[in-house]
Amino acid sequence: MNHKKTISLSPIIKTLLPKQLYKKRFLLQDKGLNNHINIAKDARIIGNSTITIRKGDDNQITIGKGGKFNQLKIDINGNHNQVTIGEDVKFSGQLLVVGNHLHIYIGNHTTAIDCYILARDKSVNIGQSCMISRGIEIRATDVHKVYDIDTNARVNKAHTNVILGDHIWIAANVTISKNVSIASGCIIAAGAFVNKPVETPNCMIAGAPAKIIRQNVRWER
């Protein structure tokens, strides 16, 4: 039996929709202990969305006010993790946490379509007012390990969290790899593979591997 679990759902779900109908739109599965799931009253979650804590205790999921989510998949496997989604976020895609003491954070007013975010080994932070397009992968790890034959040392280890600043535009089919941070105001061109930190704000990045192709730019929705 679960203990000290807090789940707050929208009043429309509690009062107007029968439980069976609601489950067709949003499925919650919690197989751990002391997990806390807090969803703002006006957050809208549809389209066969699921929140799953498949194994783990003392995890926390928070979804802020005004959010709109379609085919949202949150999956946690581990202990003492956090998934925090800010206010007025529009998101479709998967948030996956594997491990312990990790987090995924998405800032206020950020939008994403068909986005896959993996926090494993390290965490992922996305700032406010970002615009994330289709086919995006943001990965804080390579998952599969590569070793040097002579020293047996791992050569593809994740050392730092993936951190995206505020007001970043990520165009379609971009992959952001481990150990990457991107300064605020940047534009990531379609098809880019970002595998190194980008410390210069308000620049345009393109290529595989990605590099700065223009500086002192700004963008609007």
Side-chain angles (χ1 to χ4, degrees):
M1 181 179 294
N2 294 345
H3 302 285
K4 298 181 181 178
K5 185 189 302 179
T6 59
I7 303 174
S8 58
L9 301 175
S10 168
I12 190 172
I13 294 168
K14 292 181 177 180
T15 60
L16 299 180
L17 293 179
K19 188 174 183 180
Q20 293 80 4
L21 176 60
Y22 182 58
K23 283 186 175 180
K24 291 180 181 179
R25 299 164 66 93
F26 172 75
L27 178 62
L28 171 64
Q29 301 180 77
D30 182 355
K31 299 180 181 179
L33 300 174
N34 302 323
N35 296 306
H36 300 263
I37 302 167
N38 302 290
I39 302 174
K41 294 179 180 180
D42 62 348
R44 185 167 180 258
I45 306 176
I46 62 172
N48 296 318
S49 295
T50 61
I51 293 178
T52 304
I53 301 175
R54 62 182 62 253
K55 182 180 180 181
D57 306 327
D58 298 307
N59 297 290
Q60 181 167 326
I61 297 171
T62 303
I63 297 177
K65 298 177 182 179
K68 296 181 180 180
F69 305 93
N70 184 21
Q71 298 185 9
L72 170 68
K73 312 291 183 184
I74 298 177
D75 195 318
I76 295 178
N77 190 346
N79 305 301
H80 313 291
N81 300 296
Q82 294 185 15
V83 173
T84 304
I85 300 175
E87 298 181 1
D88 298 312
V89 170
K90 296 180 181 179
F91 186 94
S92 66
Q94 183 174 0
L95 308 177
L96 177 60
V97 180
V98 181
N100 304 312
H101 300 283
L102 299 170
H103 65 266
I104 293 175
Y105 175 81
I106 299 176
N108 299 340
H109 310 295
T110 285
T111 61
I113 305 171
D114 185 25
C115 180
Y116 173 83
I117 300 175
L118 171 62
R120 181 171 177 172
D121 297 331
K122 294 295 180 179
S123 298
V124 176
N125 294 272
I126 298 175
Q128 299 186 40
S129 301
C130 293
M131 184 169 66
I132 302 173
S133 188
R134 300 179 183 274
I136 307 302
E137 288 198 12
I138 302 172
R139 308 168 64 93
T141 179
D142 284 342
V143 181
H144 302 294
K145 299 175 181 178
V146 179
Y147 294 94
D148 182 277
I149 292 177
D150 296 325
T151 65
N152 205 36
R154 185 176 176 182
V155 298
N156 65 336
K157 187 176 181 180
H159 299 288
T160 62
N161 296 336
V162 172
I163 301 175
L164 308 186
D166 298 329
H167 195 63
I168 292 173
W169 174 12
I170 304 176
N173 302 315
V174 167
T175 298
I176 296 175
S177 187
K178 65 184 187 302
N179 304 325
V180 166
S181 60
I182 300 176
S184 296
C186 288
I187 302 169
I188 315 300
F193 173 60
V194 187
N195 64 346
K196 293 181 180 180
V198 179
E199 299 178 352
T200 304
N202 304 108
C203 68
M204 184 177 294
I205 306 157
K211 62 181 180 179
I212 296 174
I213 60 172
R214 187 163 184 171
Q215 298 187 33
N216 297 318
V217 297
R218 66 179 181 89
W219 64 273
E220 299 177 354
R221 288 181 182 266

